[in-house]
Amino acid sequence: MAIIKTAILQTHVYKEKSLSITQAEELLADPELKNIDLAVLPEMFCCPYENKYFPEYAEPEGGDTWEKCSWLAADHGIYLIAGSVPERDEAGHIYNTSYVFDRKGHQIGKHRKMHLFDIDVKGGQYFKESDTLTPGDQVTVFDTEFGRIGLCICYDFRFPELARLMTDKGAEIIIVPAAFNMTTGPLHWELMFRQRAVDNQVYTIGVAPARDMNAGYHSWGHSIAADPWGKVLMQMDEKPGVKIVELDLDEVKKVREQLPFLKHRREDIYKLSQIK
Ligand SMILES: O=C(O)CCC(=O)C(=O)O
């Protein structure tokens, strides 16, 4: 049996970066989380989700936030998907980046959000990440002793091609630090996590910041886990909190054997290919 005990941390994002990090530290120290294998934080878990803050809060890979997350993973002996943070590279570009640490605190994965969130819904949400951020260009999967996990960030998950590429690369779980909003969250959030799970026969996990109506961006919250049948295993409300879900990778194998549609693709007629 390959069961991954996964903690989903729907945290509050403070204006002061150090408070958001301390919050993660305190939550992980809770004795109820003693036996977890993996913990996941939300998108921009220590930076308010607004363009004006991304340059100010950005750090290079290996910076203070990175160091702290690496230490937390090693200290608890867990895999940590450190939500996402604004990352500044040597050329001064800023990315929305998720780092993954193994049980020893070594970085074993890194995803730079590939699809920037540029939308303008009349009477609803406006956002233009491309005002400050640069897109990444890598499909991200990483290995654990349980199996392979795919990783993308929020708007990336709207692109079924990306989830399928991760599945084709062997992902059995797809993890998505994310922050949907009050316009798109109510109709699209659960639907997407269930649909990608069904289409790819994977577990899907979405981890969002808690809603803060005093913030510039109102997160939908509702962190979620769906199984490879598309069943919602757990969904939170909008408040801060922690939930543990058990992901049984034998289920992925069973579902794929019983309903083998991934093998029934007509690759003689159509094919998804990666250019880079
Ligand atoms: O796709 C959506 O509706 C929300 C996306 C988003 O908030 C993000 O990419 O940060």
Side-chain angles (χ1 to χ4, degrees):
M1 273 221 296
I3 293 186
I4 311 186
K5 231 177 151 189
T6 301
I8 292 174
L9 278 58
Q10 181 166 295
T11 53
H12 178 79
V13 179
Y14 292 91
K15 272 255 172 70
E16 200 175 317
K17 195 194 280 187
S18 65
L19 291 180
S20 301
I21 296 169
T22 306
Q23 173 188 213
E25 194 175 345
E26 285 171 359
L27 291 173
L28 286 171
D30 184 333
E32 294 221 349
L33 270 63
K34 207 166 145 236
N35 296 319
I36 59 167
D37 299 296
L38 166 69
V40 189
L41 285 161
E43 182 181 23
M44 291 291 171
F45 78 96
C46 60
C47 170
Y49 188 69
E50 285 183 65
N51 271 308
K52 65 178 176 189
Y53 293 115
F54 298 153
E56 184 188 330
Y57 284 62
E59 293 178 24
E61 180 176 332
D64 288 349
T65 304
W66 185 101
E67 279 282 354
K68 190 73 190 185
C69 291
S70 157
W71 176 82
L72 277 173
D75 193 46
H76 293 285
I78 57 171
Y79 291 92
L80 177 64
I81 298 187
S84 80
V85 293
E87 176 209 357
R88 189 190 304 276
D89 74 1
E90 280 168 9
H93 299 123
I94 301 168
Y95 301 89
N96 185 340
T97 299
S98 181
Y99 297 112
V100 185
F101 301 95
D102 71 8
R103 295 180 189 274
K104 293 201 160 76
H106 299 138
Q107 183 181 309
I108 54 163
K110 168 177 177 174
H111 180 74
R112 285 174 167 167
K113 190 178 194 174
M114 176 190 291
H115 304 89
L116 296 183
F117 182 46
D118 287 358
I119 67 158
D120 187 2
V121 181
K122 283 194 179 46
Q125 187 67 50
Y126 169 84
F127 209 97
K128 193 153 178 257
E129 275 191 325
S130 62
D131 279 347
T132 55
L133 300 181
T134 300
D137 59 6
Q138 300 293 318
V139 179
T140 306
V141 294
F142 61 92
D143 287 318
T144 66
E145 70 268 30
F146 303 101
R148 189 162 282 186
I149 299 180
L151 175 65
C152 65
I153 301 175
C154 203
Y155 194 57
D156 280 337
F157 205 42
R158 283 197 176 267
F159 299 83
E161 298 90 337
L162 178 58
R164 179 52 58 85
L165 280 172
M166 291 191 269
T167 305
D168 283 348
K169 285 176 185 289
E172 295 181 313
I173 303 172
I174 296 179
I175 295 189
V176 193
F180 271 40
N181 51 73
M182 306 298 284
T183 302
T184 60
L187 264 180
H188 296 172
W189 172 261
E190 179 184 322
L191 177 69
M192 259 179 41
F193 280 89
R194 295 185 62 199
Q195 189 62 61
R196 299 281 174 276
V198 172
D199 283 348
N200 297 292
Q201 305 185 301
V202 292
Y203 283 97
T204 59
I205 309 266
V207 184
R211 189 175 309 154
D212 176 358
M213 293 311 281
N214 296 315
Y217 181 89
H218 301 148
S219 167
W220 174 239
H222 286 256
S223 295
I224 190 169
D227 77 6
W229 279 107
K231 184 168 141 214
V232 175
L233 295 177
M234 181 291 298
Q235 183 161 196
M236 296 171 79
D237 57 19
E238 76 287 358
K239 295 188 279 301
V242 177
K243 291 276 182 208
I244 296 175
V245 287
E246 296 198 347
L247 313 177
D248 178 357
L249 291 189
D250 287 348
E251 272 303 305
V252 174
K253 288 170 191 64
K254 264 191 238 158
V255 171
R256 288 181 179 178
E257 263 165 37
Q258 292 168 21
L259 193 59
F261 61 73
L262 289 171
K263 288 192 194 142
H264 296 158
R265 283 178 284 176
R266 291 293 307 273
E267 293 200 322
D268 54 329
I269 298 173
Y270 57 81
K271 200 165 168 57
L272 180 62
S273 67
Q274 197 179 337
I275 295 159
K276 251 179 165 175

